[in-house]
Amino acid sequence: MYCGKPFSNLTNYHSHTSFCDGKADAEDFIKQAIKEGFYSYGISGHAPLPYHTHWSMDMEDTQKYIDTISSLKEKYKDSIEIYLGMEIDYLTDEHNPASDFFRNLSLDYRIGSVHLLEDKDGINRDIDVKPDLFCKLIDDKFDSDIKKVVEIYFNKMKKMIQRGGFDFIGHCDKISLNASFYRPGILSEKWYKELITEYFQFISDSGYMIEINSKAFEKYGLFFPNIEHFKLIKELDIPIIVNSDAHYPENINAGRFELFDALLKHDIKQVMELDKGKWVKSDIKQL
Ligand SMILES: [Zn+2]
Ligand SMILES: [Zn+2]
């Protein structure tokens, strides 16, 4: 529970509804956002993959998703700015945010993310799973080579960034949490530090915005990217968006105020927000 002073930056552009793995309908998230005084809010369902999963929307539901959020946007337009987004996986060279299929959807914004890595047999494996499952996966399907898996993850992220087709990068070091469970202290290893420094330089050169994702804060006390990279993010002046990645309406603001506190401590004073359809810089303001 946050005990400090609240902030006036009430926005979130990363949330999942019952169209994918979220636990409530989009309208419930919007009502909650209005109740909590949010002025700009985005729904970002997991984009369809070429096959069915329990966490992404199915291809045939794509239009229904677009129509549903669009009508809610209209219905609540006097109370809040609602944005229609999608969190799109970089799966392959053919299926990614830059694919024609996604470029042609009438979305307000797109998040580019990586959740799936190919194992040694070429099968896509979800790395965004519970730590014990992740550890088993690395042993069974990746020859227990966590360093290699981390390298595959960041290389895939870089490939996605090169291809483009999105507005901002989702949880840009997501693998760090599970990698730290597999091998505690891995973030402090020399090769990891070098890799991540080069990675943020790459992001900075690309000009893309990143989100800082507070989804794991309540459970694990950390953000994606990890707080130890905030200094570098500040030095490189990478534009950031503060998102909760909520799967429940009551979590739309979870961890966000703690994150603002941490940003201010690192002298990061502005975030990006959608205002009348455009990404604009907004001062972080404590009430
Ligand atoms: Zn994600
Ligand atoms: Zn997400």
Side-chain angles (χ1 to χ4, degrees):
M1 198 60 194
Y2 180 74
C3 301
K5 276 191 201 163
F7 289 82
S8 64
N9 307 77
L10 293 171
T11 68
N12 174 39
Y13 305 102
H14 195 153
S15 54
H16 297 286
T17 70
S18 43
F19 275 100
C20 53
D21 58 349
K23 307 300 176 202
D25 290 341
E27 189 158 15
D28 298 331
F29 283 83
I30 294 168
K31 283 181 178 165
Q32 183 74 23
I34 294 168
K35 195 172 131 191
E36 294 191 31
F38 279 52
Y39 46 87
S40 177
Y41 196 88
I43 306 281
S44 59
H46 282 294
L49 291 162
Y51 50 87
H52 174 80
T53 73
H54 69 275
W55 54 270
S56 56
M57 76 179 81
D58 284 331
M59 199 61 90
E60 56 267 30
D61 288 336
T62 310
Q63 195 55 48
K64 194 176 166 206
Y65 170 71
I66 291 173
D67 293 345
T68 302
I69 310 301
S70 301
S71 69
L72 289 168
K73 193 200 284 197
E74 185 62 23
K75 183 174 173 184
Y76 290 98
K77 68 172 190 241
D78 295 334
S79 308
I80 188 169
E81 287 186 19
I82 294 297
Y83 293 97
L84 166 59
M86 204 175 254
E87 183 179 16
I88 308 170
D89 257 78
Y90 190 96
L91 184 71
T92 60
D93 289 349
E94 289 74 41
H95 186 103
N96 60 65
S99 309
D100 285 346
F101 174 77
F102 293 116
R103 285 190 188 271
N104 289 331
L105 297 178
S106 47
L107 301 168
D108 295 322
Y109 70 96
R110 294 155 173 82
I111 310 175
S113 293
V114 169
H115 305 91
L116 298 156
L117 298 183
E118 264 185 36
D119 70 11
K120 56 185 176 176
D121 300 315
I123 296 168
N124 282 307
R125 301 290 180 182
D126 187 355
I127 49 103
D128 189 11
V129 290
K130 296 217 160 64
D132 54 334
L133 266 177
F134 177 85
C135 294
K136 193 170 164 358
L137 189 68
I138 300 306
D139 288 341
D140 292 352
K141 302 295 174 189
F142 292 94
D143 295 328
S144 306
D145 193 346
I146 187 65
K147 179 169 183 265
K148 190 164 168 217
V149 175
V150 168
E151 287 169 350
I152 293 171
Y153 173 82
F154 284 110
N155 280 333
K156 198 165 183 181
M157 291 295 290
K158 282 164 75 175
K159 225 169 157 185
M160 179 186 87
I161 294 162
Q162 259 168 347
R163 286 286 180 106
F166 55 87
D167 292 63
F168 64 89
I169 303 165
H171 42 61
C172 69
D173 69 344
K174 187 82 193 199
I175 200 162
S176 63
L177 173 64
N178 274 338
S180 300
F181 274 108
Y182 189 87
R183 195 155 89 201
I186 195 166
L187 270 58
S188 305
E189 293 178 18
K190 188 167 172 279
W191 68 271
Y192 189 96
K193 282 179 174 269
E194 285 171 2
L195 181 153
I196 205 90
T197 303
E198 195 258 341
Y199 175 63
F200 279 112
Q201 184 64 57
F202 185 89
I203 291 175
S204 174
D205 293 345
S206 77
Y208 277 108
M209 304 182 281
I210 60 169
E211 75 169 356
I212 302 190
N213 182 308
S214 63
K215 184 180 174 218
F217 185 79
E218 280 192 352
K219 192 161 181 193
Y220 296 111
L222 49 78
F223 306 113
F224 305 109
N226 194 286
I227 197 164
E228 62 183 76
H229 312 312
F230 286 14
K231 187 168 170 269
L232 184 57
I233 290 165
K234 163 72 185 170
E235 280 166 17
L236 293 169
D237 201 20
I238 298 171
I240 60 166
I241 300 164
V242 165
N243 288 332
S244 63
D245 198 350
H247 287 61
Y248 296 85
E250 58 269 33
N251 287 346
I252 56 170
N253 206 28
R256 288 182 74 261
F257 287 172
E258 291 88 341
L259 177 46
F260 285 126
D261 269 341
L263 291 172
L264 289 179
K265 280 193 185 107
H266 287 81
D267 205 28
I268 296 173
K269 294 178 179 149
Q270 288 187 317
V271 288
M272 303 301 291
E273 297 178 350
L274 274 171
D275 181 30
K276 298 179 191 69
K278 293 227 172 345
W279 291 106
V280 295
K281 276 186 186 163
S282 174
D283 291 338
I284 298 175
K285 278 196 287 285
Q286 202 153 23
L287 294 170

